[in-house]
Amino acid sequence: MRAVVGSGPVGTAVARLLVERGEQVRLITRSGNGPDLPGLEKVRANASDPSALTGLVEGADTLFSCGGPAYDRWPVDWPPLGASLIETAAATGAVLLTTGNLYAYGVPDGPMKEGDPERPNSVKGRVRSKLWADALAAHRAGRIRTAEVRGSDYLGTGAVSFFTVGVLPGVLAGKRTLIPADLDAPHSWTSVTDVARTLVAVASDETAWGRTWHVPSPAPTSLRDLTTQAAAIAGVQAPRLASMPPAVLWLAGLVNKSARGVRELQYQFRRPFVLDSSQAEGAFGMEPVPTAEALAETVAAIRPDGR
């Protein structure tokens, strides 16, 4: 049996992939919601409660951490959730596979590789770095077995990212879109499907535990090129884009918490932000979903009526 925490895009993709392989899957969420799939058991619980989580994970060989607190609640809510996941893995013997991101590296000075120094320059980056450090320490002490899978900004069904929430809706509506970014800087994009595939591949290979892995991702694509492709897929006019000056975003952050969240991480879009995933591609024989395919899924999910 496999246990999956979180029914967002990654948790849903992991659950779907496992069910399609004939696995018994228990999906654990605060709401008890999730996709209706044969063989999928949906359970309502608070994963930050180690007693409750341990009882639900007992008997599972793998615990996939695919959920997380609200973006603005990370500093408060992630530490108890991370501790609960580690405690549960220690109590049950389940291998803990965590869905991570690239925040811990801070501002990159080239393509990001596994094993690069972690130099977080944001509150969220420090939170993510500490979560992995705690899990890795428990692994090295022999308390748990764990690994973390890291991807860049998501594309695909249900993907929630700066692009899918803050850029794409305006482009599809034909609106002039002001973006706090260098529109021509190369940027890596990761398919939600590939995140799920990598998590499952790492879970099945004990030689892959005790380290981080980067999700296989295609060659980087600039925001200008990505939005142009999206408009063509949707059959709408070419995007009308403009780069938002940093000062404007800073001022918006004084009154808007979403803008504040983007503000501390805008370095990711002001300069090249490239993920090197060659290690995982070689280790697991994975080819990433092409950007055009993942983008088409993204557009279809946002515009289910095709208009």
Side-chain angles (χ1 to χ4, degrees):
M1 191 262 285
R2 312 280 192 128
V4 179
V5 173
S7 62
V10 173
T12 294
V14 168
R16 190 179 302 278
L17 178 58
L18 292 171
V19 167
E20 289 174 352
R21 294 184 176 195
E23 303 260 12
Q24 179 187 356
V25 182
R26 179 172 292 157
L27 183 63
I28 304 164
T29 66
R30 280 184 176 272
S31 64
N33 295 330
D36 293 323
L37 300 172
L40 178 63
E41 177 189 4
K42 293 178 283 189
V43 180
R44 181 177 180 177
N46 179 5
S48 295
D49 179 348
S51 297
L53 188 60
T54 296
L56 292 172
V57 176
E58 194 68 51
D61 55 15
T62 313
L63 170 59
F64 292 95
S65 171
C66 303
Y71 208 48
D72 62 317
R73 296 281 304 175
W74 276 28
V76 176
D77 292 346
W78 252 124
L81 176 54
S84 177
L85 291 163
I86 292 172
E87 186 173 334
T88 297
T92 63
V95 180
L96 174 61
L97 268 295
T98 298
T99 310
N101 60 28
L102 306 177
Y103 295 1
Y105 296 128
V107 180
D109 53 13
M112 291 166 280
K113 304 178 180 67
E114 295 97 329
D116 281 354
E118 298 199 353
R119 299 172 295 193
N121 63 327
S122 64
V123 172
K124 294 179 180 65
R126 288 188 286 274
V127 169
R128 290 297 333 183
S129 185
K130 180 66 163 53
L131 289 169
W132 170 238
D134 289 346
L136 183 59
H139 176 94
R140 289 174 173 170
R143 293 183 57 222
I144 67 171
R145 298 165 298 164
T146 191
E148 181 168 287
V149 167
R150 297 175 173 179
S152 192
D153 293 85
Y154 291 166
L155 295 176
T157 303
V160 178
S161 69
F162 166 76
F163 173 73
T164 63
V165 175
V167 178
L168 190 54
V171 169
L172 297 181
K175 298 179 180 178
R176 182 175 181 272
T177 305
L178 194 62
I179 307 174
D182 177 342
L183 302 177
D184 298 302
H187 193 94
S188 289
W189 308 92
T190 301
S191 165
V192 169
T193 297
D194 286 332
V195 180
R197 291 169 61 211
T198 308
L199 284 164
V200 172
V202 173
S204 304
D205 183 355
E206 64 181 62
T207 66
W209 304 339
R211 55 163 293 177
T212 60
W213 291 94
H214 288 172
V215 179
S217 303
T221 303
S222 71
L223 271 169
R224 192 186 305 278
D225 287 345
L226 197 69
T227 54
T228 299
Q229 290 182 48
I233 289 169
V236 299
Q237 67 180 359
R240 295 180 295 151
L241 309 176
S243 180
M244 178 189 295
V248 175
L249 182 64
W250 188 88
L251 290 171
L254 296 177
V255 296
N256 185 291
K257 66 180 181 181
S258 296
R260 284 196 297 274
V262 173
R263 189 171 64 185
E264 73 165 359
L265 297 167
Q266 68 170 320
Y267 68 88
Q268 297 180 6
F269 291 93
R270 294 287 184 186
R271 55 188 294 156
F273 194 76
V274 178
L275 177 67
D276 182 330
S277 58
S278 57
Q279 288 191 34
E281 290 174 40
F284 307 116
M286 290 177 57
E287 290 290 333
V289 173
T291 298
E293 183 178 328
L295 186 57
E297 292 178 8
T298 310
V299 172
I302 292 177
R303 303 180 71 192
D305 59 356
R307 303 188 324 183

